[in-house]
Amino acid sequence: MTRKGLGAGALIFMLATQAQASEAPKPGITIKAVTTVNASTPWLNQIALPTTILTGAKGGQGVVIGVVDTGIVANNPEVVGRVSVLSSCAALSFSCSNGVTDDNGHGTAVAAIAAGAYGGATAQMSGVAPGVTIIAEKAMNASGAGAEVDIANGIIKATDAGATVINLSVTYAPTTRIAAAMQYAALKGVVLVYAGGNEGMALLSSGPTSNLAQTPLSQATLSHLILVGSVNNANGKSSFSNTPGTGAVTAAGTTGTVSYQSLWIMAPGENVAAPALTSGPAAFASWSGTSMAAPMVTGAVALLQKTWPILTRNGTAPAVLLASATDLGASGADATYGVGLLNLNRAFSPLGALSAVSPSGATVALGSSSSATVSSGTLGSLQALGAALAKYTVFDGYSRNFSANLSSLIGRPGGSTVSLSSLVYSPVWTNALRLADGGQMQVYRDAFSAQALGPVDPRAYGVFGSAPPPPVNYMAYVTREGVSVAGGYGLASTAFFEDALWGARGRADLRTGGLSALADGGYSASLGVPLSQHLRLAAGWSQTPDQTAPLANHGPGARTARAASLGLAFQGRGPVSIGVKLSTLDETSGLLGAAYGPASALNFGRGGVTYAADVSAVIDLGAGRRLTLEAVQAKTPKRAVTQGLISRVSDLESQGYGLALTLPSVAVRGDRLTLAASRPLHLRSGSVSLAQTEVDEEGYAHARLSDVSLKGGAPETDFTVAYARSMSRTTSFQADLTWRDHPPQTASDVAFRAVIQRRF
């Protein structure tokens, strides 16, 4: 009968059929007195185990670990009160005369390293998981020797007693019997932590176990198995430690193999403080061997299982430790260090791609720009939604829950594309031409292209040409009878529509932002017709750029929109002129100017229509002075959302308003000064149903819906001073200075723009 001993855990010498331990405490270094320095602190720091993790994981409280070894002294101060009554003698080849009590010392030392009591900086030692319950299965005698049948039985008994991770600081020897026991445990979700051995050679390359190198192991066993090597305090391989080498094990039932390198992790294994029973019941000593490295990994598994029960159910705690190790030696898994050094700080941080749970329970990918939503001036900063996302439950690649700040999913607009007051100004070159029939035509072009091509640019008139349109390409035409037509690409359409609606009467530009302001930048057109001496009719249409681009090719700014407006302006014999405008806005991947990709984590649905009514009044105060008042009210019907973290958007109510005073001949005869204040269209009421995920103590996720207001933060307020005057018979000048308070981009900003227009 083949006998196995403490070969994996200590400095040993091998006999043909039996392993004998030579890992007794080294003479002269036994610690018998209480010290003021915790001897475990250096290696606890080496494996990156801060007290925050220890506290958060409650020391692994409630997790049961198995120690298949020489037994345990249950009243040892490091483990007292935490040794399960289900502990037993697993030996079949010898008799346990002292029951489960350790009569060698090795098992108690191993248990203390994995689970020794935490006493702070002045304790003599500390374990990795001081809150766990310990199942001790005595499978080796006082000499540290045991048969394979004893080890196999210890694995089975520890599994049946409820252990979720089993420490095996013994020679790794996957014989048929032991492999069967390992599979039994793995199929019940138990993690098996094996010490790698102290022969200073590649695993299974010599000795009585060398012929076991190709023993097949089941897929379940391989996914629940960790092999542990030893490093010194400088993270160099211990001279005695085995290595994973280039060997591999066949996955049972397949032709594939799994390298030992991918299952191998390193932990401190030199001069590790632990109880030394041979020197007295309360003595400590310095131990060396992969037997000491393995229980550090066992304790780490217990902390992970306590923090995330899903790891126990899925059997993925080994994968987390292997994926989070600090790389040592050659890049990646190598033949000396395997995957590298145990790193609990990394192991307790998110690994892999982050995701969240949608209202329907589907996985929502996070972490890319396509996950974000760019807000708008109308929706504002979305403070309430941002607050709800600030502490949001997300999951890493191993289904572990973390609290993350997802408020960054709400992006602020960086330009004028969704800004109602369009303060990011693109210089425009314009000239006007009086026609023989009494009408007038104006041409608008990008200032830079106009300078490059000279005073006459034929492309400026090619609105319907097949070539891509220039950045700015617009024309406006007004007949002697007052009919106005305007159209082109690249300019905000709102001002042209207002000119079409009011004609020669004119009105101050309040920039309260009707819906057409949320569909600017692409093609647009407007038409104004006098129905009578006192009544004008106007119609307008506009859209955002890139309407024909496939939506799937769009990023976070996937929004496209079209707006249509119809208005009437009436001026009787009195001083008051009234204008009424009805508008619709049809958006795709957008909501009131907010933009998001089709599959964004935070989105408000594929699209929908918004309706608005706008009322304006121009009051003639005499002597050329005018007071302009405007108010706009908009409604967006509720919509369902099928993707992302939101399931429903309620009915939304938005409004905007403003006033302006126009004063003539302020500085010189014929000039005009306008003072204006406005609140552009902004959300007044509305909410979304946001998915919120909670994870219970057993690791099960429960999703619920929470109504979150979309309103939040002060609405944008604009103050404008505009000045216009004629400089000559053919040249005019106009400029404005606008200060915005609480815009979506920043706390406040100021913009100045000026235009010189020539007529010919």
Side-chain angles (χ1 to χ4, degrees):
M1 175 167 50
T2 303
R3 301 186 67 81
K4 307 300 169 193
L6 304 179
L11 301 175
I12 62 159
F13 60 91
M14 298 292 296
L15 300 177
T17 59
Q18 183 172 314
Q20 298 290 336
S22 62
E23 59 191 342
K26 296 177 181 179
I29 56 174
T30 301
I31 304 169
K32 293 185 177 181
V34 175
T35 67
T36 58
V37 178
N38 189 326
S40 300
T41 299
W43 63 259
L44 288 173
N45 291 337
Q46 200 172 347
I47 63 173
L49 177 57
T51 55
T52 51
I53 289 179
L54 204 59
T55 302
K58 299 180 180 178
Q61 184 179 2
V63 177
V64 179
I65 71 169
V67 178
V68 177
D69 214 288
T70 62
I72 194 168
V73 176
N75 62 358
N76 184 275
E78 296 302 319
V79 297
V80 64
R82 291 185 293 116
V83 179
S84 172
V85 296
L86 298 178
S87 300
S88 65
C89 175
L92 298 176
S93 67
F94 65 90
S95 175
C96 299
S97 57
N98 292 325
V100 75
T101 300
D102 184 6
D103 41 22
N104 173 278
H106 185 273
T108 303
V110 166
I113 294 168
Y118 180 74
T122 60
Q124 295 181 87
M125 72 156 292
S126 296
V128 176
V132 300
T133 299
I134 304 165
I135 297 287
E137 293 298 338
K138 189 170 183 177
M140 286 176 287
N141 59 25
S143 300
E148 62 175 348
V149 66
D150 305 321
I151 303 299
N153 194 42
I155 294 172
I156 293 172
K157 294 194 71 175
T159 299
D160 290 342
T164 56
V165 53
I166 297 175
N167 189 87
L168 293 144
S169 289
V170 298
T171 304
Y172 175 67
T175 63
T176 302
R177 183 179 281 113
I178 290 179
M182 292 169 65
Q183 179 172 351
Y184 176 82
L187 290 175
K188 291 183 176 291
V190 179
V191 176
L192 301 158
V193 180
Y194 257 106
N198 302 318
E199 300 167 290
M201 305 181 75
L203 184 69
L204 302 178
S205 64
S206 66
T209 60
S210 61
N211 63 334
L212 298 171
Q214 295 300 321
T215 302
L217 294 176
S218 70
Q219 296 278 14
T221 302
L222 290 169
S223 66
H224 287 75
L225 175 62
I226 307 179
L227 303 168
V228 188
S230 170
V231 294
N232 57 29
N233 60 8
N235 291 338
K237 186 187 82 69
S238 299
S239 59
F240 55 79
S241 178
N242 281 352
T243 64
T246 57
V249 60
T250 302
T254 73
T255 58
T257 61
V258 176
S259 70
Y260 290 122
Q261 297 175 18
S262 66
L263 304 174
W264 189 282
I265 197 169
M266 307 297 285
E270 294 189 32
N271 301 318
V272 178
L277 300 184
T278 57
S279 299
F284 288 82
S286 182
W287 296 71
S288 293
T290 55
S291 272
M292 285 59 253
M296 296 184 192
V297 176
T298 297
V301 171
L303 295 180
L304 287 172
Q305 290 179 335
K306 171 62 179 179
T307 308
W308 294 286
I310 188 69
L311 298 180
T312 303
R313 292 201 302 276
N314 292 349
T316 46
V320 169
L321 290 182
L322 295 169
S324 59
T326 301
D327 195 17
L328 300 176
S331 180
D334 61 65
T336 301
Y337 294 98
V339 298
L341 178 68
L342 175 66
N343 187 326
L344 279 170
N345 196 42
R346 284 189 185 176
F348 275 76
S349 301
L351 299 172
L354 292 179
S355 63
V357 177
S358 75
S360 64
T363 298
V364 179
L366 302 172
S368 67
S369 61
S370 62
S371 299
T373 287
V374 179
S375 187
S376 67
T378 304
L379 289 183
S381 60
L382 297 175
Q383 286 183 357
L385 184 57
L389 293 169
K391 293 183 178 179
Y392 202 80
T393 300
V394 300
F395 299 86
D396 72 352
Y398 295 92
S399 301
R400 298 183 298 168
N401 59 295
F402 292 86
S403 179
N405 184 356
L406 297 188
S407 61
S408 60
L409 289 179
I410 302 174
R412 293 186 174 187
S416 63
T417 52
V418 289
S419 172
L420 297 178
S421 43
S422 301
L423 289 185
V424 180
Y425 178 62
S426 179
V428 174
W429 177 89
T430 177
N431 55 21
L433 175 65
R434 290 191 177 278
L435 304 178
D437 62 359
Q440 178 175 288
M441 183 174 68
Q442 290 180 301
V443 178
Y444 301 82
R445 285 180 288 165
D446 175 74
F448 299 115
S449 65
Q451 292 172 3
L453 295 170
V456 178
D457 179 6
R459 295 186 306 167
Y461 303 91
V463 176
F464 301 104
S466 59
V472 172
N473 182 9
Y474 219 88
M475 290 187 298
Y477 173 65
V478 181
T479 69
R480 182 176 58 182
E481 293 77 15
V483 176
S484 65
V485 180
Y489 184 94
L491 283 184
S493 62
T494 305
F496 292 98
F497 178 83
E498 296 298 332
D499 288 343
L501 178 62
W502 292 93
R505 297 183 181 93
R507 65 184 289 278
D509 182 7
L510 290 176
R511 301 193 190 108
T512 54
L515 296 182
S516 59
L518 297 177
D520 268 336
Y523 287 104
S524 63
S526 60
L527 171 66
V529 179
L531 300 180
S532 68
Q533 181 181 357
H534 303 290
L535 187 65
R536 284 185 66 85
L537 171 69
W541 163 82
S542 63
Q543 66 179 33
T544 54
D546 300 325
Q547 292 284 328
T548 59
L551 197 60
N553 295 340
H554 289 196
R559 173 183 177 270
T560 61
R562 294 179 176 87
S565 302
L566 185 66
L568 286 172
F570 174 79
Q571 182 180 29
R573 291 184 173 84
V576 180
S577 299
I578 300 294
V580 178
K581 180 173 65 176
L582 300 178
S583 303
T584 64
L585 175 70
D586 186 0
E587 298 173 279
T588 300
S589 283
L591 177 66
L592 294 176
Y596 40 84
S600 295
L602 189 67
N603 76 81
F604 303 109
R606 184 170 179 83
V609 179
T610 298
Y611 307 92
D614 186 307
V615 177
S616 301
V618 179
I619 304 173
D620 188 350
L621 302 177
R625 296 171 297 170
R626 294 199 306 270
L627 179 66
T628 303
L629 306 173
E630 182 175 20
V632 56
Q633 185 80 21
K635 179 175 181 178
T636 307
K638 62 184 177 181
R639 63 176 76 172
V641 183
T642 58
Q643 289 184 309
L645 305 179
I646 292 173
S647 69
R648 179 190 60 85
V649 180
S650 73
D651 290 335
L652 305 182
E653 300 284 346
S654 307
Q655 65 180 215
Y657 46 87
L659 59 87
L661 177 64
T662 301
L663 304 173
S665 303
V666 175
V668 297
R669 182 180 179 84
D671 68 359
R672 185 175 68 253
L673 177 68
T674 300
L675 306 175
S678 64
R679 282 229 169 133
L681 189 69
H682 60 279
L683 185 71
R684 293 287 295 173
S685 65
S687 63
V688 295
S689 292
L690 180 69
Q692 299 276 15
T693 305
E694 298 173 346
V695 179
D696 62 26
E697 291 185 355
E698 295 182 354
Y700 289 98
H702 306 277
R704 61 180 177 85
L705 291 176
S706 175
D707 284 339
V708 179
S709 173
L710 288 180
K711 186 176 181 295
E716 177 183 333
T717 303
D718 297 352
F719 301 94
T720 301
V721 178
Y723 180 77
R725 61 168 291 184
S726 295
M727 300 174 65
S728 69
R729 186 174 61 85
T730 60
T731 306
S732 62
F733 167 80
Q734 61 184 42
D736 61 65
L737 178 70
T738 301
W739 174 57
R740 295 193 302 174
D741 191 27
H742 301 295
Q745 294 95 329
T746 57
S748 62
D749 57 13
V750 177
F752 173 79
R753 53 188 171 183
V755 175
I756 296 177
Q757 185 181 62
R758 297 193 63 190
R759 297 183 177 87
F760 59 92

